[in-house]
Amino acid sequence: MPRKLTFAQAVREAMAEEMRRDPAVFLMGEDVGGAGGVFKVTVGLLEEFGPERVRDTPIAEAGFMGLAVGAALTGMRPIVEIMFGDFITLAMDQIVNQACKLRYMSGGQARVPLTIRTTLGAGRSSAAQHSQSLHAWFAHIPGIKVAIPSTPADAKGLLKSAIRDDNVCIVFEDKMMYRLEGDVPDGDLPIPFGQADVKRPGEDVTLIATSSMVHVALKAAELLQKENISAEVIDPRTLVPLDREALVQSVRKTGRALIIDEGHQKYGVTAELAAVIQEEAFDDLDAPVARLGAADVPVPFSTALEFETIPNEARIIAAVKATWGPDGKKR
Amino acid sequence: MPRKLTFAQAVREAMAEEMRRDPAVFLMGEDVGGAGGVFKVTVGLLEEFGPERVRDTPIAEAGFMGLAVGAALTGMRPIVEIMFGDFITLAMDQIVNQACKLRYMSGGQARVPLTIRTTLGAGRSSAAQHSQSLHAWFAHIPGIKVAIPSTPADAKGLLKSAIRDDNVCIVFEDKMMYRLEGDVPDGDLPIPFGQADVKRPGEDVTLIATSSMVHVALKAAELLQKENISAEVIDPRTLVPLDREALVQSVRKTGRALIIDEGHQKYGVTAELAAVIQEEAFDDLDAPVARLGAADVPVPFSTALEFETIPNEARIIAAVKATWGPDGKKR
Amino acid sequence: MELGPEKLKDMYRRMVVIRKFEEHIYDIYTRGLMPGLAHLYIGEEAVAVGACAALRDDDFIASTHRGHGHLIAKGGRIDRMMAEVMGKVDGYCRGKGGSMHIADMSLGILGANGIVGGGLGIITGAALSARMRKTDQVALGFFGDGALNQGIFLETVNMAAIWKLPVIYLCENNQYGEYTAASKVTAGHDLCARAAAFDVPARQVDGLDILAVYEATQWAVDRARSGEGPSFLLCQTYRYRGHHVGDQNTYRTKEEIEQWMARDCIRRLASRLTAGGSASEADLRAVDEAVEAEVVAAVDFGLHSPMPDPREVVEHVFA
Amino acid sequence: MELGPEKLKDMYRRMVVIRKFEEHIYDIYTRGLMPGLAHLYIGEEAVAVGACAALRDDDFIASTHRGHGHLIAKGGRIDRMMAEVMGKVDGYCRGKGGSMHIADMSLGILGANGIVGGGLGIITGAALSARMRKTDQVALGFFGDGALNQGIFLETVNMAAIWKLPVIYLCENNQYGEYTAASKVTAGHDLCARAAAFDVPARQVDGLDILAVYEATQWAVDRARSGEGPSFLLCQTYRYRGHHVGDQNTYRTKEEIEQWMARDCIRRLASRLTAGGSASEADLRAVDEAVEAEVVAAVDFGLHSPMPDPREVVEHVFA
Ligand SMILES: Cc1ncc(C[n+]2csc(CCOP(=O)(O)OP(=O)(O)O)c2C)c(N)n1
Ligand SMILES: Cc1ncc(C[n+]2csc(CCOP(=O)(O)OP(=O)(O)O)c2C)c(N)n1
Ligand SMILES: [Mg+2]
Ligand SMILES: [Mg+2]
């Protein structure tokens, strides 16, 4: 029986269930305990699991990420919350030089079952230091798996997989989605990494979208349908590992692809997906793979400017139509 | 009159000339003074400019990067050396949240004329924490220009431009190239950012290569010539701004492209360049844009393994031939 | 430097500007006229005003997410600040920065900052710059008790100490970082020891006593200006309101809040002024009223300023 | 715990293993049999051996780029270490890590580290883990004077202090970070104050006196094991050789080096053993010779171990 949960509730359930299942799992981060997190995602966990396992840290991102690495190396399974994705810049050495590399550098001796949860996404007038979507950086680095769920159900299932994984995993949660509701199936149902999900089937064009951009793509697809363009919307769900096959198959069918992601466009996630698709579906492409990332500017504060930087339905529709060329014909 | 200089000498000359020209320019970093840098790039600068302007710092990458941001904001033009590119993980907040965003966030009030020099490249048996090529991360972020020179002349000219630029610039120097010799023209000749350079003209395929990969591509091009394949080798020289036009024009002519870069392949520089080329030269492409980055593994120590991770001539040749398909025909 | 009555009245006035500015921020925020986050400085006014009173116009400050008070104390224009927090084009940052990023480079205000500890590098670098440019400018960095636990504190204080930079580290210990008590996450019975460990002279100051803040800052400024290097000031203070507007304040008792409010820094200076005969109650009331009108005008200025043209979104990435 | 003669002789032996291991590293490095970087520990042996003598097998250590000594002191196998530094498949890391990344998880050796200060988070996390898993394991982190200037020191010591974690921060002050004197870049006349500021008890120790190191570590271990929390040990020591093999050593005077060498930690324990009658000169010579043979065998083991199969390059990225 599926229940309606918000994205935040789904994330919380994943953590609570895994903490009940395995005493090695614990959570640390700034204000995750008494306050229940600034986005109220962790409300109630302190009450159930106590302050040892739901640990309020000092404001010291590098330090507590480092502690988590050491704890993971020695038998624990930490979940670390980095409140705003922007603050992860302070912990890059710990994640990239330590956590992601210890297993490899030790020739397979070390195990680092560390899960990092953090946010991405603009749209809250939080300005340039509280709105970044830095997931592309992590997808670039070997030794870390990257999830970027778009629905409460995916958020729960992927986070459960991340916590059970013996490797470093990072899950990006769009802070604009925490109140989004969706059906979440009952029961213990981890979603494996590396499986894309077709969020809407279609025939004429493939929209590959991540995180909250999935919903924007779905709305655009509805509008396109009115113009008799049938768009398939696929959500890769994890960037690493990437379900290349699912993406490529869809594009082989439709002949057209647009990638939508909220990270900056240049040197970002849209580039890799476009490169993969043109590599593997070249002969089936009727137009270049198009992409739509966030504008290549810091995220501005003013509501008059901020939304200019984020992909929206209108831009998706325009980009899709452009794949047919100005005359509406196959290019 | 060009002179033969090593890459290290060219970098040093650029700094010395700019420091002579402008008293606001100064250098800071670990062991850049008395020791002349661990790669001996800064030898002699302390003697000429004194310890105020050639400043040995504590081991505190975040801290001294932060100082440089503050100094740049208030009238100085710091050059910061981060010894190994891997250590820049410790300064990401300072660079990405502070330096790159201050101008934009302040609505154009702030000016941050900061130049960062650091290294990339494997091949010295330095293992996973001293061998990374993290330039893709910076190319992804708005507000920073990214240079990645391949020759002593380019290194000198681009660094001079970086130092004179009123924005944050980062220059990646491949540590394996410091002893590479090349002709460097006399005189004060900054090389503008955003101008690619054709390092070898050709007709049948375009090899777009960065940093030391340019030299590998040039060798591969010679070998391909013996098989009557004429390869054009283009070096974008700066990733931001990117000279799209030059890359696209070459591929329009040849119909085939291979991108070679020493960063990890997935979600890296090769992806953006491939995406751009298929976007803009789609109709002229005879084969998908191919790419060759470093293997998606941490850099291993053993010489038996390390070179497996770096693009080499044989792999370039194989990738080029693959664009013709297994039968040597146009795909 | 002794503070004459005019200076004291000016300091009183500035504290009132901050208090009323923040009350109006609360008002426009709850009325939906200001997006984003609003971190109010109410209760801490004596720290910003006392410290900045010891600075010259060409000295530098770096501020925090809770920055309105620092900016006003250093001379920032409240109309342009109001426009900025509303995302309007006449704002200090043309609407690009918002509350957490207001800067006025012409006044040496090197910016509020959204990163806890984010100003520490900047202010130490400004001090380095002052030294290298051979000026006698001084740099003062405001930061919270929370930032004391960020590594950048160690790194910058160490460099300031070895290079004897003209910088003042002013920690505003308002007892909380977000919803967590500083005492829970901050080790050491004497936080001044964190600076003293670097042989950086440190003083603890009653942050509700504006004269104490002023005097301590003046001591630190004198040291800095005369080449004696950095100092550290630990100002004990308290924020009356939540971490930001909307915070339910459940982690503090009413009693605790009331105890601190009973020692209000503005009323304290007011009593001193009236007791000493420098001003009458009526004088102060007149100041309060004038300030209220000024802040209302600033709100108006903000409300009437247009939104930035959407095409500005691509401007100011590069110089 | 009093140290009996057998334990002391074992400690002597371990110091000699380190010394000879490093001399052979120098030899194979200069003969081109070992690639990468070699940071020698020669001169500092008393610190690693004295500290690890106070640890149990199931306790944890985190090490540094100058890690061979720590690893050997904690029980690491020198043959697999030799194979590793040569990049061979029988190395601890199958050739993937090299000198800067040797680890033996089964011995609680959480790895050498290429990042200055890189072990501080790891070791503090291991202490947290010991506490959460309800063992009485202790975690000891070695790091250099250089790491004292990295912010992660502040952050981890603060957390260890507020949570009373069973961790020992052992700073090896060998007076230099690379080619720069610690005194030039490290503020504060008393480096112990950097820990004491967090109310973490701190002791300065003569790092050339293995018994002093042992006793101080034992004190810290007792504190940690009994739940009293972290401690800090500042061991004054010296590296005889350059920062790495190849360093020309121009930043130090011959006199300075000789003064330190005159107080050699191995000879010092040797004298004590012979003076106290626990061992004769001949006994010690026999130890030296046996160790030399052992190290030669380790070199041989390394030389004869095959290179890893190139296909291993893609293994061990993920579990
Ligand atoms: C690096 C970083 N981590 C976390 C945050 C989220 N955050 C914003 S304000 C704050 C508390 C800061 O406390 P303090 O420094 O004492 O300043 P106060 O708010 O009390 O003035 C936190 C954790 C942040 N902005 N930056
Ligand atoms: C974060 C970081 N910065 C710089 C370096 C380069 N580096 C390697 S060893 C070293 C000096 C370390 O000094 P110290 O901590 O005193 O250890 P010692 O070498 O003296 O044992 C430096 C700067 C590094 N490895 N990591
Ligand atoms: Mg506070
Ligand atoms: Mg040292």
Side-chain angles (χ1 to χ4, degrees):
Chain A
M1 262 280 291
R3 294 153 303 143
K4 280 246 179 287
L5 294 184
T6 65
F7 198 96
Q9 285 168 332
V11 170
R12 185 187 316 144
E13 268 199 10
M15 288 190 281
E17 288 176 17
E18 294 306 305
M19 287 175 78
R20 279 174 214 135
R21 198 184 49 78
D22 182 350
V25 178
F26 73 104
L27 171 66
M28 63 200 299
E30 293 157 9
D31 282 312
V32 295
V38 297
F39 299 110
K40 303 295 166 207
V41 173
T42 58
V43 169
L45 296 180
L46 174 70
E47 289 68 17
E48 180 171 355
F49 300 103
E52 277 277 305
R53 290 181 71 195
V54 181
R55 195 171 279 269
D56 278 331
T57 64
I59 307 170
E61 285 79 4
F64 64 78
M65 188 66 77
L67 262 67
V69 175
L73 267 179
T74 56
M76 300 300 291
R77 303 185 79 87
I79 307 171
V80 172
E81 175 177 305
I82 297 284
M83 188 189 295
F84 283 79
D86 314 70
F87 310 157
I88 210 162
T89 50
L90 288 150
M92 295 304 287
D93 167 55
Q94 293 301 328
I95 300 171
V96 172
N97 287 334
Q98 309 296 339
C100 293
K101 293 184 172 44
L102 280 164
R103 181 169 186 81
Y104 192 84
M105 294 191 304
S106 68
Q109 287 182 70
R111 231 174 39 129
V112 187
L114 164 65
T115 297
I116 304 167
R117 289 180 42 242
T118 192
T119 55
L120 59 72
R124 289 176 95 245
S125 298
S126 302
Q129 291 175 341
H130 286 72
S131 304
Q132 289 170 90
S133 300
L134 296 173
H135 46 295
W137 280 0
F138 299 89
H140 183 47
I141 298 299
I144 184 167
K145 300 182 183 177
V146 183
I148 179 165
S150 66
T151 66
D154 288 353
K156 181 173 176 189
L158 289 168
L159 182 53
K160 286 178 78 97
S161 285
I163 296 169
R164 294 189 196 180
D165 200 298
D166 275 344
N167 299 288
V168 189
C169 296
I170 186 164
V171 183
F172 283 90
E173 300 162 5
D174 191 317
K175 51 181 106 66
M176 299 301 287
M177 287 199 297
Y178 279 130
R179 294 180 186 179
L180 179 86
E181 290 205 328
D183 283 342
V184 176
D186 265 342
D188 182 26
L189 296 168
I191 296 174
F193 275 44
Q195 292 189 2
D197 190 43
V198 176
K199 298 290 185 196
R200 173 196 166 110
E203 297 300 325
D204 301 329
V205 60
T206 301
L207 305 182
I208 301 172
T210 62
S211 187
S212 61
M213 292 300 108
V214 169
H215 305 285
V216 183
L218 285 170
K219 275 187 215 135
E222 269 173 44
L223 296 171
L224 284 166
Q225 193 62 61
K226 295 196 180 132
E227 305 189 43
N228 279 320
I229 297 174
S230 158
E232 177 147 306
V233 178
I234 302 198
D235 175 358
R237 297 202 290 197
T238 58
L239 300 177
V240 180
L242 179 68
D243 188 353
R244 294 167 155 249
E245 201 39 43
L247 308 185
V248 169
Q249 257 173 22
S250 171
V251 180
R252 286 222 173 97
K253 175 177 72 177
T254 61
R256 292 184 152 69
L258 169 65
I259 330 269
I260 311 127
D261 176 76
E262 207 184 326
H264 296 300
Q265 180 165 316
K266 72 180 160 78
Y267 301 91
V269 163
T270 62
E272 176 70 16
L273 302 196
V276 163
I277 287 167
Q278 66 88 34
E279 269 158 26
E280 300 194 12
F282 185 75
D283 295 324
D284 297 300
L285 278 174
D286 295 322
V289 182
R291 52 199 185 116
L292 213 45
D296 289 317
V297 304
V299 177
F301 168 73
S302 179
T303 48
L305 302 175
E306 185 176 20
F307 294 100
E308 294 294 309
T309 69
I310 311 173
N312 61 22
E313 291 85 349
R315 270 174 229 141
I316 291 176
I317 292 168
V320 165
K321 289 188 180 167
T323 68
W324 269 272
D327 51 359
K329 299 248 179 64
K330 178 170 162 158
R331 317 177 10 137
Chain B
M1 260 281 291
R3 295 152 304 143
K4 280 243 178 293
L5 293 184
T6 65
F7 198 96
Q9 286 168 331
V11 171
R12 184 186 316 146
E13 267 199 10
M15 288 191 280
E17 289 176 15
E18 294 305 304
M19 288 175 77
R20 278 175 215 136
R21 196 184 50 77
D22 183 349
V25 178
F26 72 104
L27 171 67
M28 64 198 299
E30 293 157 9
D31 283 314
V32 295
V38 298
F39 299 111
K40 301 295 164 208
V41 173
T42 57
V43 170
L45 296 180
L46 175 69
E47 289 70 15
E48 180 171 355
F49 300 102
E52 277 277 306
R53 292 182 69 197
V54 181
R55 194 172 280 270
D56 278 331
T57 64
I59 307 170
E61 284 80 5
F64 64 79
M65 189 66 77
L67 262 67
V69 175
L73 267 180
T74 55
M76 300 299 293
R77 305 185 77 88
I79 307 169
V80 172
E81 175 177 305
I82 297 285
M83 188 189 295
F84 283 79
D86 314 69
F87 309 158
I88 209 161
T89 51
L90 289 151
M92 293 306 285
D93 167 55
Q94 294 299 328
I95 300 172
V96 172
N97 288 334
Q98 308 296 340
C100 293
K101 295 186 171 41
L102 280 164
R103 183 171 185 79
Y104 192 83
M105 295 190 305
S106 68
Q109 287 181 71
R111 232 174 38 130
V112 188
L114 164 66
T115 298
I116 304 167
R117 290 179 42 241
T118 192
T119 55
L120 60 70
R124 289 175 94 243
S125 298
S126 301
Q129 291 175 341
H130 286 71
S131 304
Q132 289 170 91
S133 301
L134 296 173
H135 46 297
W137 279 359
F138 299 89
H140 183 47
I141 299 298
I144 184 169
K145 301 182 182 178
V146 183
I148 179 164
S150 66
T151 66
D154 288 353
K156 182 173 175 188
L158 290 167
L159 183 53
K160 286 177 79 95
S161 286
I163 296 169
R164 294 187 196 180
D165 200 297
D166 275 344
N167 298 288
V168 190
C169 296
I170 186 164
V171 183
F172 282 90
E173 300 162 5
D174 189 319
K175 52 181 104 67
M176 300 300 286
M177 286 200 297
Y178 279 130
R179 295 184 185 175
L180 178 87
E181 290 203 330
D183 284 342
V184 176
D186 265 343
D188 181 25
L189 297 168
I191 295 174
F193 274 45
Q195 293 189 1
D197 190 43
V198 176
K199 298 292 187 196
R200 175 197 165 110
E203 297 301 325
D204 301 330
V205 60
T206 301
L207 305 182
I208 301 171
T210 61
S211 187
S212 63
M213 293 298 109
V214 169
H215 305 286
V216 182
L218 286 169
K219 277 188 214 132
E222 270 174 44
L223 296 171
L224 285 166
Q225 194 60 61
K226 295 200 180 126
E227 305 189 43
N228 279 322
I229 297 174
S230 160
E232 178 147 303
V233 178
I234 303 199
D235 175 359
R237 298 203 290 198
T238 59
L239 301 177
V240 180
L242 180 67
D243 188 352
R244 292 165 156 252
E245 201 37 46
L247 307 185
V248 169
Q249 257 174 23
S250 172
V251 179
R252 286 222 171 95
K253 175 177 73 178
T254 61
R256 292 184 150 73
L258 170 66
I259 330 268
I260 310 128
D261 176 76
E262 207 184 327
H264 296 299
Q265 180 164 316
K266 75 180 157 77
Y267 301 90
V269 163
T270 62
E272 175 70 17
L273 302 196
V276 164
I277 287 168
Q278 65 88 34
E279 268 156 28
E280 301 195 10
F282 186 74
D283 294 325
D284 297 301
L285 278 173
D286 295 322
V289 182
R291 50 198 188 117
L292 212 47
D296 289 318
V297 305
V299 177
F301 169 72
S302 178
T303 49
L305 303 175
E306 185 178 20
F307 294 99
E308 295 295 308
T309 69
I310 311 171
N312 61 22
E313 290 86 348
R315 270 175 228 140
I316 290 176
I317 291 168
V320 165
K321 290 188 181 165
T323 67
W324 270 272
D327 51 358
K329 298 247 179 68
K330 179 169 161 160
R331 312 174 20 130
Chain C
M1 190 171 50
E2 264 302 293
L3 291 173
E6 287 317 306
K7 176 94 180 180
L8 284 174
K9 274 190 273 182
D10 181 63
M11 286 163 73
Y12 172 83
R13 190 177 182 288
R14 280 183 199 240
M15 286 203 288
V16 176
V17 175
I18 296 173
R19 176 79 45 106
K20 290 191 181 288
F21 183 91
E22 295 292 61
E23 281 165 354
H24 278 275
I25 289 281
Y26 181 88
D27 179 60
I28 62 171
Y29 191 93
T30 47
R31 283 163 61 207
L33 300 173
M34 167 188 171
L37 287 170
H39 303 95
L40 302 184
Y41 195 66
I42 293 176
E44 310 187 32
E45 295 88 347
V47 179
V49 177
C52 289
L55 296 179
R56 284 197 324 228
D57 280 355
D58 67 337
D59 289 334
F60 299 111
I61 66 163
S63 170
T64 68
H65 57 286
R66 198 176 302 290
H68 303 159
H70 310 139
L71 274 48
I72 292 171
K74 188 69 168 57
R77 284 178 50 178
I78 59 172
D79 53 354
R80 296 192 62 199
M81 288 174 62
M82 276 294 179
E84 186 58 36
V85 302
M86 296 176 186
K88 302 301 187 69
V89 76
D90 295 308
Y92 262 118
C93 316
R94 303 187 68 81
K96 287 208 164 87
S99 166
M100 283 195 289
H101 302 296
I102 303 179
D104 185 339
M105 301 301 292
S106 70
L107 293 171
I109 299 171
L110 303 180
N113 211 302
I115 299 296
V116 170
L120 289 164
I122 289 171
I123 205 64
T124 313
L128 174 63
S129 161
R131 238 269 296 280
M132 294 188 76
R133 289 181 293 101
K134 298 198 177 21
T135 73
D136 66 347
Q137 287 163 297
V138 158
L140 184 149
F142 292 101
F143 55 98
D145 46 281
L148 279 179
N149 295 326
Q150 284 281 22
I152 191 84
F153 177 76
L154 179 156
E155 298 187 12
T156 53
V157 172
N158 183 53
M159 277 183 276
I162 57 173
W163 295 333
K164 283 204 163 197
L165 300 180
V167 57
I168 298 151
Y169 297 100
L170 191 155
C171 178
E172 304 183 297
N173 183 2
N174 63 6
Q175 320 301 324
Y176 291 86
E178 284 189 354
Y179 321 111
T180 298
S183 58
K184 201 184 142 192
V185 291
T186 316
H189 69 285
D190 171 16
L191 297 179
C192 284
R194 292 196 181 191
F198 300 86
D199 291 350
V200 170
R203 285 200 188 171
Q204 177 157 316
V205 183
D206 176 356
L208 304 187
D209 179 351
I210 191 167
L211 298 185
V213 174
Y214 169 79
E215 275 155 29
T217 310
Q218 191 63 59
W219 162 78
V221 166
D222 289 345
R223 283 181 38 81
R225 229 180 291 283
S226 62
E228 289 172 69
S231 320
F232 177 82
L233 302 177
L234 180 69
C235 296
Q236 301 291 354
T237 181
Y238 200 76
R239 60 166 158 76
Y240 293 175
R241 306 298 177 88
H243 171 59
H244 52 65
V245 182
D247 169 4
Q248 298 306 317
N249 242 326
T250 51
Y251 48 92
R252 309 191 295 186
T253 62
K254 230 178 126 186
E255 293 70 48
E256 179 184 297
I257 299 175
E258 279 165 6
Q259 271 170 25
W260 283 90
M261 286 180 72
R263 301 169 52 218
D264 184 71
C265 61
I266 297 183
R267 279 213 318 281
R268 187 150 161 188
L269 180 58
S271 310
R272 196 188 293 244
L273 286 169
T274 50
S278 310
S280 67
E281 292 281 356
D283 289 345
L284 298 184
R285 221 173 308 120
V287 170
D288 295 357
E289 280 160 21
V291 166
E292 175 67 22
E294 197 187 320
V295 176
V296 167
V299 171
D300 228 53
F301 177 85
L303 289 174
H304 286 93
S305 171
M307 280 287 181
D309 185 319
R311 281 168 301 187
E312 288 203 21
V313 73
V314 294
E315 285 172 20
H316 306 132
V317 180
F318 289 113
Chain D
M1 187 172 53
E2 264 302 291
L3 291 173
E6 286 318 306
K7 177 92 179 177
L8 284 174
K9 274 190 274 183
D10 180 61
M11 286 163 73
Y12 173 84
R13 190 178 182 286
R14 279 182 198 241
M15 287 205 286
V16 175
V17 174
I18 295 172
R19 176 81 45 108
K20 289 191 183 288
F21 182 90
E22 295 291 61
E23 281 165 354
H24 278 274
I25 289 280
Y26 182 87
D27 180 59
I28 62 171
Y29 191 93
T30 47
R31 282 162 61 206
L33 300 173
M34 167 188 171
L37 286 169
H39 304 95
L40 302 184
Y41 195 68
I42 293 176
E44 309 186 31
E45 294 88 347
V47 179
V49 176
C52 289
L55 296 178
R56 285 196 324 227
D57 280 355
D58 67 339
D59 290 332
F60 298 111
I61 66 164
S63 170
T64 67
H65 57 285
R66 198 175 303 289
H68 304 158
H70 310 141
L71 275 48
I72 292 170
K74 188 69 169 57
R77 282 179 50 178
I78 60 172
D79 51 356
R80 296 191 62 197
M81 289 175 61
M82 276 293 179
E84 186 58 35
V85 303
M86 295 176 187
K88 302 299 187 71
V89 77
D90 295 308
Y92 262 117
C93 315
R94 302 187 69 80
K96 287 209 165 83
S99 165
M100 282 195 289
H101 302 295
I102 303 177
D104 186 338
M105 301 301 291
S106 71
L107 294 171
I109 300 171
L110 303 181
N113 211 301
I115 299 296
V116 170
L120 288 165
I122 289 171
I123 204 66
T124 313
L128 174 64
S129 162
R131 238 268 297 277
M132 294 188 74
R133 290 181 292 101
K134 299 197 177 18
T135 73
D136 67 346
Q137 288 163 297
V138 158
L140 184 149
F142 293 101
F143 55 98
D145 45 283
L148 279 179
N149 295 325
Q150 285 280 23
I152 190 83
F153 177 76
L154 179 157
E155 298 187 11
T156 53
V157 172
N158 183 53
M159 278 184 275
I162 58 174
W163 295 332
K164 283 207 164 194
L165 300 181
V167 56
I168 298 150
Y169 296 100
L170 191 155
C171 179
E172 306 183 295
N173 183 1
N174 64 7
Q175 320 300 326
Y176 291 86
E178 284 189 352
Y179 321 110
T180 299
S183 58
K184 201 184 144 192
V185 291
T186 316
H189 69 284
D190 170 19
L191 297 179
C192 284
R194 293 196 180 191
F198 300 85
D199 292 350
V200 170
R203 285 200 186 170
Q204 177 158 316
V205 184
D206 177 356
L208 303 186
D209 179 350
I210 190 166
L211 298 186
V213 174
Y214 169 79
E215 276 156 29
T217 310
Q218 191 63 60
W219 161 79
V221 166
D222 289 345
R223 281 180 39 81
R225 229 180 289 284
S226 62
E228 290 172 68
S231 320
F232 176 82
L233 303 176
L234 180 70
C235 296
Q236 302 291 354
T237 182
Y238 200 76
R239 62 166 156 77
Y240 293 176
R241 305 298 176 90
H243 171 60
H244 53 64
V245 182
D247 169 4
Q248 298 306 313
N249 242 323
T250 51
Y251 47 94
R252 311 192 295 186
T253 62
K254 230 177 123 183
E255 293 71 49
E256 179 185 297
I257 300 175
E258 277 165 7
Q259 271 170 24
W260 282 91
M261 288 180 69
R263 300 169 50 217
D264 184 72
C265 62
I266 297 183
R267 278 213 317 283
R268 188 149 159 188
L269 181 59
S271 307
R272 196 189 293 247
L273 286 169
T274 49
S278 310
S280 66
E281 291 282 355
D283 289 344
L284 298 185
R285 222 172 308 119
V287 170
D288 295 358
E289 280 161 19
V291 167
E292 174 67 22
E294 198 186 320
V295 177
V296 167
V299 171
D300 227 53
F301 176 85
L303 289 174
H304 286 93
S305 170
M307 279 289 181
D309 185 319
R311 282 167 302 188
E312 288 203 19
V313 74
V314 294
E315 285 173 19
H316 305 131
V317 179
F318 288 113

